[in-house]
Amino acid sequence: MQKKKYYYLVRLQYLGFRFSGWQKQPGQKTIEGMLTKTLKYILPETTFKILGAGRTDAKVSALDAAFELFLTDRSIEDLSIFITLFNKNLPSDIRVLDIEETTKEFNIIQHSKLKEYVYLFSFGEKNHPFCAPYLTNIQENLDLDVMKEAAYCFVGEHDFSSFTARLQENTIVQRKVVSSYITENTLLSANFFPKKSYAFHVKGKGFIRYQIRMMMGALLQVGKGEFSIDQLKASLTSEDTALLKHVAPGSGLLLNNLTFN
């Protein structure tokens, strides 16, 4: 007799600062590993599998992430009670927001979606140490106006071969960026934040490994006067990575919004 399967979409938030990214890795503390450990405890003797909407790097956070939960021969009777139980047993830096039942036709990887990432940064004086999980701090002065102009160069479909590390064979490097801009940070605030901080917003269907962190790194080079806007435009049409020297730290990056069509 074929076992019955149940499918759920779970939305969550997490602070990535103490984690080695999303993907489960031997000997490393990861978001996926912590979710799996907690589910084993609250769903004893239940066969389950989880599948994330994407993999975030070490120290990267999320305000709106998602994963699919597959259960075999057991459904969740009360979703509200389950969220409460799940959150009670998760560490304080991971929070489940919502859970809804789906069907086997839904695939979190293949289903059309838009992701918006935000990279938070400040510059000038050194930040309060408590800012470290949220803001990347550049102690040199940056030309913010030229960085804002440069950010718009990423909009559209481009070859992002120069904006990834350890490019794998068969990786789709032609990616479309729906929006890309820098504004003042109004997303997160705290009394220990600097008076002004900034947010680099990027939206698209999908990104290759380190793409956004290298986009941010290139913008920082532009802001420091090490890289011109013309050079930035050229880097989006070739594989010459000689001038792209900087992968921005993971701790300034967060997944801000994830929408499914």
Side-chain angles (χ1 to χ4, degrees), residues 9-78:
L9 177 64
V10 184
R11 312 295 294 235
L12 74 159
Q13 299 174 323
Y14 53 84
L15 178 63
F17 196 64
R18 72 184 183 103
F19 293 96
S20 298
W22 171 272
Q23 190 176 12
K24 199 172 180 180
Q25 305 167 53
Q28 299 291 325
K29 187 169 288 188
T30 67
I31 302 295
E32 184 182 32
M34 189 60 70
L35 291 169
T36 300
K37 180 181 178 181
T38 305
L39 286 165
K40 282 181 180 178
Y41 179 74
I42 65 174
L43 294 172
E45 301 177 7
T46 302
T47 301
F48 70 86
K49 184 176 78 169
I50 67 175
L51 182 63
R55 301 171 184 175
T56 47
D57 297 333
K59 298 186 183 296
V60 175
S61 300
L63 290 177
D64 182 20
F67 68 91
E68 259 188 292
L69 172 63
F70 306 87
L71 297 181
T72 302
D73 270 0
R74 176 180 174 177
S75 65
I76 298 172
E77 292 182 7
D78 189 310

Side-chain angles (χ1 to χ4, degrees), residues 119-131:
Y119 197 102
L120 300 179
F121 68 99
S122 63
F123 63 92
E125 289 186 19
K126 188 167 184 177
N127 283 346
H128 190 294
F130 289 5
C131 294

